[in-house]
Amino acid sequence: QVQLVESGGGLAQPGGSLRLSCAASRSIFSLYAMGWYRQAPGKQRELVAVIRSGASLEYGDSVKGRFTISTDNAKNTVYLQMNNLKPEDTAVYYCNAEQIVTMSQVLKYWGQGTQVTVSS
C-alpha cells in the first residue's frame, strides 16, 4: 500500500507561481507512474501531468508550457511546478500513483487533495 500526502496549495494571483509536493510513504522508484489530477467546481476530474518509470512525460493540453512535473527519489516526493497561473487553474489538485502487481492488475492510490485558488 502507498500513502500520498499533498501540500503547497494556496492562493496566488494570475501570472504567479506555486509548487505542489506529494510525499509518498515508500520508495517511488519501483512505482510505474505518478502524476497529478485536478477537479474544479462543476467539472470532471482531468489529467494535469504524469511521469512514468521509463521517464516518459504527459501533460494536459491546458497546462503545457506552464506546468512541470518532477521527482526526487531520495525524498520519495513528486512535485508540480505551476507557472503563469490562470484563474482557470483554480481546483483541488490530487496526487496519484500506480503500482503494477501482475501483468493484468494495477493498483491506484490517491492523496487527499490540496486546494489551489488563482484570483486577483
Side-chain angles (χ1 to χ4, degrees):
Q1 189 176 23
V2 179
Q3 294 179 336
L4 305 172
V5 180
E6 303 100 329
S7 63
L11 178 65
Q13 294 184 342
S17 298
L18 286 173
R19 189 192 193 196
L20 305 184
S21 298
C22 174
S25 61
R26 52 157 287 179
S27 174
I28 63 175
F29 179 78
S30 61
L31 296 175
Y32 173 69
M34 294 195 71
W36 293 90
Y37 291 76
R38 69 185 183 186
Q39 186 166 18
K43 297 184 178 180
Q44 297 282 82
R45 183 182 63 184
E46 65 175 341
L47 171 70
V48 176
V50 62
I51 182 169
R52 298 184 174 88
S53 61
S56 63
L57 302 173
E58 182 180 351
Y59 292 94
D61 290 339
S62 63
V63 306
K64 289 180 179 179
R66 300 188 298 118
F67 292 7
T68 303
I69 187 171
S70 63
T71 63
D72 187 336
N73 292 339
K75 296 181 178 180
N76 297 332
T77 300
V78 176
Y79 303 98
L80 182 68
Q81 179 66 47
M82 305 186 294
N83 297 326
N84 192 24
L85 286 164
K86 303 176 180 180
E88 303 89 88
D89 296 320
T90 297
V92 177
Y93 286 70
Y94 297 92
C95 183
N96 165 261
E98 297 182 358
Q99 180 183 25
I100 296 177
V101 179
T102 68
M103 291 294 293
S104 61
Q105 184 179 12
V106 177
L107 296 179
K108 295 184 177 181
Y109 305 93
W110 296 93
Q112 82 288 347
T114 184
Q115 176 71 47
V116 171
T117 302
V118 184
S119 176
S120 60

